[in-house]
Amino acid sequence: YYASRLRHAISRTLESLPEQVASAINGVFDDAKDPFTIADIVAQQFVSDPGIRRALLEEPTVAKRVEILIDLLDRAKPRSQRG
């Protein structure tokens, strides 16, 4: 459930990137099987603020990690792409 929600948010974000970049990032996500790993990869690739990254890594529940990441991904998109 959490992995699919995060993958959906990532897919929306990747739409604005060049195809080669999106494909490479999707390949990394395809290799990750559990939501904690996917959340860590998303944080590494899309979160530049070290404080937010640290908070994500310290968050013990995958549900909270996913919610934080989805919110960050949604806020990072241009207003016209927000769903």
Side-chain angles (χ1 to χ4, degrees):
Y1 170 75
Y2 298 112
S4 65
R5 288 190 64 220
L6 192 49
R7 285 299 301 256
H8 181 69
I10 293 163
S11 293
R12 291 189 318 254
T13 301
L14 293 179
E15 289 173 357
S16 64
L17 298 177
E19 179 60 35
Q20 282 183 300
V21 174
S23 189
I25 292 171
N26 275 321
V28 172
F29 292 132
D30 289 343
D31 291 340
K33 302 301 180 205
D34 66 277
F36 274 105
T37 302
I38 294 171
D40 287 349
I41 292 168
V42 172
Q44 178 187 19
Q45 295 296 318
F46 295 100
V47 179
S48 59
D49 183 297
I52 295 173
R53 237 189 233 184
R54 173 172 287 189
L56 284 165
L57 292 172
E58 292 174 351
E59 174 55 52
T61 65
V62 71
K64 185 66 175 171
R65 281 189 194 192
V66 168
E67 291 302 322
I68 292 169
L69 287 168
I70 289 172
D71 183 55
L72 289 170
L73 290 170
D74 282 346
R75 284 192 283 144
K77 291 187 302 187
R79 194 175 298 274
S80 63
Q81 290 182 355
R82 293 181 190 169

